[in-house]
């Protein structure tokens, strides 16, 4: 059961017990649920948004069919009239979502049509990123002042998409990777990229910080891993940066309603799981990935690590439900997941295997912590998460250790039977725990 379903059930129970009135329960529920992603959107609103998209496509097709019959000024004039009409109608019908939503959708997509129209009429060409930035800039007022979050989500996603696409290129105004002449991009490219990132985060609606913060963390990691002015090439620094960014995303993405971490927690768990594969690390096999760390990249990595370590120690942990023992375990696991990267400095096969073993212990401790906290707090979902983490870790490590022995059909059959038995007993244990917490 999700947080909102449990919360609604608790409110109904409180109203039935006479603790609060049904009207108060309804108001509390409405206030809490309104902050959820697309919470205000009903089925009719989604249909209306689709209607707006189809109207925009229809306008494009009609214009294309009669393209040769229109002059340049007529084309631009007709577009501007239609654009102004869609904006005016959207504002006048703001209180009627069934009409306002398709008009807002049309309003959002029309700048892209107008930019393409202008470029085709006057045979313009140039930077491929500039039209998309102009589209976002023209749509920003709609995103900022609309009473509904749809336009804000669309503009925010547009800016994030352009940020990743542009900065990973090498021949546009957002490019941050080395150009064809193997020279660094100018400094103003970085300023523009950070402005686009800030714009996407500022326009993102609601109280959630998770998605903008996640986009910033992933983009920063890409910039460190790509051929940019802040690149890092040693495996230790790459791992340190990745784990530190995962911890920062997990630690700072808390919502006021206390909802579980969700995607940031999944990313952290997956990152620790990826570390377990350093059991197979061969130093000579990674020469092609090595290179020179830039001074800026190394400094930024250490700065990110310091911030993540302080965050893990000083902020509430997000791995387990709040509690004295859980807080100690959660903070220790977050710190250990980052400190493990130090085993890769001057790494040998032995130290890399030790890192893999440490990652296994982190996952096992996290899984056990989830099961114990779930049993203590009667949280079935938390128990299932702990069982899943432990089972996945056990199966993967079995393949790591004994995979080389799977050289015959009989060995595969025996392994399959062993996995089936493991699944059976794990499922029985999981059900027993869930039944115990329900009593």
């Amino acid at each position: 059961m999700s947080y909102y379903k449990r919360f609604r059930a608790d409110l109904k129970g409180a109203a039935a017990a006479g603790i609060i009135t049904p009207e108060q329960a309804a108001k509390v529920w409405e206030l809490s649920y309104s902050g959820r992603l697309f919470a205000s959107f009903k089925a009719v609103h989604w249909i209306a948004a689709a209607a707006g998209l189809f109207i925009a496509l229809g306008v494009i097709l009609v214009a294309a069919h009669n393209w040769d019959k229109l002059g340049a000024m007529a084309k631009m004039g007709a577009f501007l009239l239609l654009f102004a009409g869609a904006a005016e109608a959207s504002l006048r019908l703001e209180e009627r979502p069934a009409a306002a939503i398709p008009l807002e959708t049309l309003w959002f997509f029309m700048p892209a049509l107008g930019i393409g129209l202008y470029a085709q009429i006057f045979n313009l060409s140039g930077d491929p990123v500039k039209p998309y930035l102009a589209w976002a800039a023209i749509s920003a007022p709609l995103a900022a002042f609309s009473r509904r979050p749809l336009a804000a989500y669309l503009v925010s996603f547009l800016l994030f998409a352009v940020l990743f696409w542009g900065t990973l290129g090498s021949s546009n105004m957002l490019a941050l990777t080395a150009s064809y002449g193997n020279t660094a991009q100018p400094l103003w490219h970085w300023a523009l990229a950070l402005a686009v990132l800030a714009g996407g985060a500022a326009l993102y609606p609601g109280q959630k910080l998770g998605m903008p913060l996640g986009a910033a963390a992933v983009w920063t990691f890409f910039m460190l891993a790509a051929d940019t002015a802040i690149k890092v090439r040693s495996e230790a620094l790459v791992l340190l940066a990745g784990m530190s960014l995962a911890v920062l995303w997990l630690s700072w993405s808390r919502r006021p309603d206390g909802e579980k971490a969700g995607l940031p927690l999944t990313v952290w768990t997956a990152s620790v799981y990826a570390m377990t594969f350093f059991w197979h690390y061969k130093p000579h096999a990674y020469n092609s990935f090595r290179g020179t760390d830039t001074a800026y990249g190394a400094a930024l990595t250490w700065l990110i690590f310091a911030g993540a370590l302080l965050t893990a120690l000083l902020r509430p942990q997000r791995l387990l439900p709040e509690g004295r023992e859980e807080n100690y375990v959660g903070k220790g696991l977050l710190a250990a997941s980052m400190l493990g990267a130090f085993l890769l400095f001057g790494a040998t096969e032995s130290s890399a295997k030790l890192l893999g073993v440490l990652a296994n212990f982190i996952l096992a401790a996290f899984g056990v912590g989830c099961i114990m906290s779930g049993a203590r707090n009667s949280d079935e979902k938390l128990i299932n998460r702990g069982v899943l983490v432990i089972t996945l870790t056990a199966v993967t490590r079995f393949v790591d250790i004994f995979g080389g022995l799977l050289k015959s059909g009989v060995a595969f059959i025996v392994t399959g039977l062993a996995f089936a038995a493991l699944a059976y007993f794990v499922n029985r244990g999981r059900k027993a725990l869930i039944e115990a917490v329900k009593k």
Side-chain angles (χ1 to χ4, degrees), residues 177-406:
T177 59
S179 62
Y180 295 117
N182 201 30
T183 57
Q185 299 289 357
L187 186 61
W188 67 267
H189 281 212
W190 286 95
L192 181 59
L194 293 175
V196 172
L197 176 62
L203 290 174
Y204 192 85
Q207 299 174 326
K208 293 180 69 174
L209 292 176
M211 292 304 293
L213 185 58
V218 174
W219 177 73
T220 302
F221 182 76
F222 280 2
M223 293 301 98
L224 290 168
D227 189 15
T228 66
I230 60 170
K231 67 182 178 182
V232 290
R233 285 294 175 266
S234 63
E235 295 95 334
L237 287 181
V238 171
L239 179 60
L240 186 64
M243 287 307 311
S244 299
L245 288 169
V247 170
L248 284 173
W249 183 13
L250 176 62
S251 300
W252 289 97
S253 60
R254 178 180 292 274
R255 287 186 57 174
D257 56 21
E259 189 177 9
K260 291 183 174 63
L263 182 59
L265 178 58
T266 302
V267 170
W268 178 85
T269 307
S271 300
V272 177
Y273 179 72
M275 282 202 303
T276 64
F277 290 95
F278 276 97
W279 179 270
H280 303 285
Y281 179 86
K282 305 288 184 184
H284 62 275
Y286 295 87
N287 288 332
S288 59
F289 296 96
R290 288 182 177 156
T292 303
D293 301 320
T294 63
Y296 294 117
L300 179 60
T301 299
W302 287 112
L303 184 63
I304 292 171
F305 166 68
L309 187 59
L310 289 174
T311 295
L313 296 177
L314 299 179
R315 277 187 64 82
Q317 55 84 27
R318 302 294 312 279
L319 295 182
L320 301 169
E322 293 183 359
R324 183 177 179 182
E325 293 80 7
E326 286 86 353
N327 286 337
Y328 286 133
V329 173
K331 290 176 179 292
L333 293 178
L334 289 175
S337 66
M338 295 182 290
L339 295 174
F342 284 84
L343 292 170
L344 285 185
F345 286 100
T348 62
E349 287 191 35
S350 298
S351 61
K353 286 184 183 296
L354 183 59
L355 174 60
V357 172
L358 174 63
N360 280 293
F361 275 112
I362 293 173
L363 288 177
F366 174 52
V368 172
C370 287
I371 293 173
M372 295 179 64
S373 295
R376 187 180 301 116
N377 296 287
S378 301
D379 191 334
E380 179 180 343
K381 186 175 181 180
L382 199 57
I383 293 174
N384 289 334
R385 179 187 299 164
V387 171
L388 175 62
V389 170
I390 291 178
T391 303
L392 180 63
T393 304
V395 170
T396 308
R397 297 294 68 78
F398 177 88
V399 174
D400 281 346
I401 297 173
F402 300 105
L405 302 178
L406 300 179

Side-chain angles (χ1 to χ4, degrees), residues 4 38 110 117 136 269 373 392:
Y4 287 103
F38 297 133
M110 283 196 70
L117 175 64
T269 307
S373 295
L392 180 63

Side-chain angles (χ1 to χ4, degrees), residues 402-423:
F402 300 105
L405 302 178
L406 300 179
K407 298 180 180 179
S408 67
V410 174
F412 275 98
I413 293 173
V414 172
T415 302
L417 291 174
F419 283 167
L422 175 65

